[in-house]
């Protein structure tokens, strides 16, 4: 289904749309407070963008340096060309050690690879241990936000889910009590696990270590308890030196949830005595993206979610409307690279308000990339005739100020005098999702003209 169709489903529940919008926006508001509280914020963004651009320009060298140092530390490094290769490597590692119970901390890469269904089809019990991730796993869905996977669910819905699957009392919806119930349930899974899988927020070439950032400490608990730790890392997660990490750690939590720092920033360099550490380095289309100069910048992404939180389309259409593992602006520029035909509508699901580019801590040029994808998809004939005609007409009008003014006047006249049945018909997509205001709209200019000469108006 296309983005508009999936968005329409989400918009059908206006109450959910409103609080989703507000909940996601609250992250953006907190992010602004943090960003404005640091005078060197823009300098940090520049530094982060520079480090990432440099790393991408010498990625092969840094990957080899990382492998050398990780191996010297005692980790086993594996290379996966694609999602299938990644999943097969993880399964083989688990099978060779007879591991059947895996606890997993949040990793968008494993979502991208479809690891959970693959392992479960091969008899491995996978438990996502991040609270939001566990909620969506129990509900049979994937994450709807890259940082807050269950943000689309009401607490009553979570209470109902826990009642059915975890045996909590019916009607319980207190988030504190529900969290305590989840903690007990997850603790049992942790204590019984054979292996732990984590993502990696960063891999440091200089040390061969990985860095995992969480708020719940679930990654650390798995790593500490399990005799086997598997870390899945995309090739773009590398940074050259340990000193570079500080730049990203200062930006990440502030951009994500508006916290000065996440609760846990864990460094993993070597396996615990008697345990094993395997690092699976995954390409899965990243080198293809690296080879597209216009879209290479998307590989700088540190998956903070800030572009989702600020995007007016994401806030009002929800994460599932994108039909891709990564929703929001970053998903919209990565998805067409993965499959241009399947995701041809995504670059158009944007107002191009530029806000995503403004908030991105590593300065991914998201609006520019969205604009360029529209052009590339058009060149490949993947944009519908209707959309192309509408865009052409819009471009023609917008290039002529006098016509733009006339079109605006016509639209205003239509809103004020047009028959309501016509305004609410299928000809007007806006009206399909929202109620028109009652009565004719009055512009400030009209109101001023009407009252001019009747005494002070301001
Ligand atoms: S593109 Fe930028 S803002 Fe969006 S998730 Fe990635 S780092 Fe964050």
């Amino acid at each position: 289904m296309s983005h508009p169709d999936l968005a329409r489903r989400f918009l059908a529940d206006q109450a959910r749309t409103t609080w989703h919008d507000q909940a996601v926006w609250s992250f953006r508001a907190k992010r602004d407070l943090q960003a404005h509280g640091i005078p060197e914020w823009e300098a940090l963004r520049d530094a982060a963008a520079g480090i990432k651009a440099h790393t991408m320009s010498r990625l092969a060298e840094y990957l080899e340096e990382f492998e050398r140092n990780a191996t010297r530390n005692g980790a086993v490094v594996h290379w996966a060309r694609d999602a299938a290769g990644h999943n097969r490597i993880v399964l083989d590692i688990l099978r060779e050690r007879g591991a059947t119970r895996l606890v997993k901390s949040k990793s968008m890469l494993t979502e991208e690879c479809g690891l959970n269904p693959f392992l479960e089809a091969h008899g491995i019990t996978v438990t996502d241990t991040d609270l939001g991730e566990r909620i969506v796993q129990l509900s049979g869905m994937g994450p709807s936000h890259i940082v807050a996977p269950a943000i689309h669910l009401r607490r009553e819905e979570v209470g109902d889910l826990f009642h059915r699957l975890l045996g909590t009392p019916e009607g319980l919806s207190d988030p504190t009590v529900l969290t305590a119930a989840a903690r007990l349930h997850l603790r049992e899974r942790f204590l019984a696990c054979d292996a732990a899988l984590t993502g990696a927020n960063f891999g440091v070439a200089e040390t061969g270590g990985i860095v995992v950032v969480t708020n719940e400490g679930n990654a650390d608990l798995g790593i500490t308890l399990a005799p086997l730790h598997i870390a899945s890392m995309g090739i773009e997660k590398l940074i050259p030196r340990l000193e570079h990490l500080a730049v990203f750690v200062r930006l990440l939590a502030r951009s994500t949830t508006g916290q000065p720092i996440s609760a846990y920033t864990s460094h993993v360099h070597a396996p615990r005595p008697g345990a094993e550490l395997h690092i699976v380095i995954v390409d899965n289309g990243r080198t293809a993206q690296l080879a597209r100069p216009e879209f290479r910048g998307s590989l700088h992404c540190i998956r903070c979610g800030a572009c989702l939180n600020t995007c007016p389309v994401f806030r009002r259409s929800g994460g599932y409307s994108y039909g891709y593992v990564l929703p929001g602006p970053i998903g919209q520029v990565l998805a067409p690279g993965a499959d241009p035909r399947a995701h041809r509508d995504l670059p158009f699901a944007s107002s191009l308000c530029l806000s995503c580019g403004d908030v991105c801590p590593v300065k991914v040029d998201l609006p520019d990339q969205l604009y360029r994808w529209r052009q590339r998809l058009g060149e490949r004939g993947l944009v519908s005739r209707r959309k192309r005609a509408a865009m052409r007409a819009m471009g023609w009008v917008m290039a002529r100020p006098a016509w733009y003014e006339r079109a605006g006047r016509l639209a205003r006249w239509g809103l004020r005098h047009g028959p309501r049945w016509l305004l609410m018909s299928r000809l007007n997509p806006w009206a399909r999702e929202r109620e028109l205001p009652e009565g004719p709209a009055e512009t400030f200019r009209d109101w001023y003209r009407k009252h001019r000469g009747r005494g002070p108006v301001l």
Side-chain angles (χ1 to χ4, degrees), residues 19 25 47 53 62 102 146 166 184 208 236 241 297 329 335 342 349 351 426:
W19 64 251
W25 182 256
Y62 286 125
L102 177 73
I146 61 181
L166 304 186
L184 273 179
E236 83 285 13
R241 307 276 163 254
S351 61
R426 288 187 62 81

Side-chain angles (χ1 to χ4, degrees), residues 55-380:
T55 314
M56 292 306 139
S57 72
R58 297 174 60 181
L59 190 57
E61 286 171 44
Y62 286 125
L63 283 167
E64 286 175 6
E65 184 183 350
F66 177 84
E67 183 185 30
R68 269 195 311 277
N69 290 325
T71 307
R72 193 177 302 137
N73 294 339
V76 182
V77 176
H78 307 258
W79 298 88
R81 186 185 295 275
D82 52 23
H86 166 264
N87 295 349
R88 176 54 59 186
I89 289 168
V90 173
L91 181 63
D92 288 347
I93 297 170
L94 294 172
R95 274 193 174 157
E96 279 164 21
R97 286 144 193 89
T100 55
R101 290 161 297 189
L102 177 73
V103 288
K104 196 168 141 275
S105 73
K106 196 159 79 59
S107 152
M108 290 310 293
L109 175 59
T110 58
E111 296 289 339
E112 178 187 322
C113 294
L115 181 68
N116 284 18
F118 175 81
L119 290 182
E120 276 161 5
H122 289 84
I124 308 287
T125 306
V126 183
T127 305
D128 276 304
T129 56
D130 171 275
L131 177 58
E133 199 78 6
R134 183 63 178 151
I135 291 169
V136 290
Q137 188 187 25
L138 289 172
S139 71
M141 303 289 284
S144 76
H145 186 293
I146 61 181
V147 178
I151 197 158
H152 60 290
L153 292 175
R154 293 185 181 91
R155 59 185 179 158
E156 290 78 12
E157 290 168 316
V158 176
D160 182 45
L161 188 71
F162 279 18
H163 169 64
R164 284 189 285 112
L165 300 176
L166 304 186
T168 54
E170 194 170 5
L172 183 68
S173 62
D174 182 328
T176 309
V177 184
L178 290 173
T179 304
R183 181 192 293 256
L184 273 179
H185 156 72
L186 288 172
R187 199 49 62 102
E188 286 168 12
R189 299 292 175 111
F190 274 119
L191 291 172
C193 74
D194 304 313
L197 189 144
T198 69
N201 292 83
F202 305 99
V204 183
E206 176 185 39
T207 63
I210 58 162
V211 181
V212 185
V213 181
T214 69
N215 269 326
E216 299 172 24
N218 52 318
D220 310 69
L221 197 53
I223 295 169
T224 312
L225 288 171
L228 170 64
H229 173 199
I230 304 170
S232 297
M233 180 177 82
I235 57 171
E236 83 285 13
K237 294 289 179 178
L238 275 197
I239 54 171
R241 307 276 163 254
L242 192 57
E243 65 185 346
H244 297 148
L245 184 65
V247 173
F248 294 98
V249 170
R250 293 189 75 197
L251 288 166
L252 180 59
R254 287 183 168 92
S255 301
T256 300
T257 48
Q259 295 166 265
I261 192 161
S262 300
Y264 299 87
T265 301
S266 306
H267 296 247
V268 180
H269 285 111
R272 284 183 292 110
E276 287 183 66
L277 169 61
H278 293 255
I279 303 173
V280 189
I281 302 177
V282 186
D283 183 331
N284 202 31
R286 285 159 177 76
T287 46
Q289 191 78 338
L290 196 62
R292 298 181 185 112
E294 291 176 307
F295 305 108
R296 185 178 292 164
S298 59
L299 294 173
H300 299 183
C301 174
I302 55 172
R303 304 286 190 268
C304 72
C307 57
L308 281 64
N309 300 339
T310 199
C311 177
V313 177
F314 174 84
R315 286 188 276 119
R316 291 176 182 85
S317 62
Y320 295 145
S321 64
Y322 292 81
Y324 183 63
V325 65
L326 295 172
I330 184 61
Q332 289 168 268
V333 300
L334 288 174
D339 188 341
R341 184 169 292 279
H343 302 295
R344 60 186 181 271
D345 55 320
L346 285 190
F348 295 91
S350 166
S351 61
L352 288 189
C353 65
L354 311 188
S355 185
C356 49
D358 287 345
V359 298
C360 177
V362 288
K363 293 197 157 183
V364 177
D365 51 347
L366 291 160
D368 198 47
Q369 293 193 28
L370 286 169
Y371 175 63
R372 284 179 192 282
W373 266 123
R374 292 180 184 188
Q375 294 173 327
R376 299 298 156 261
L377 293 170
E379 287 159 11
R380 289 193 208 178

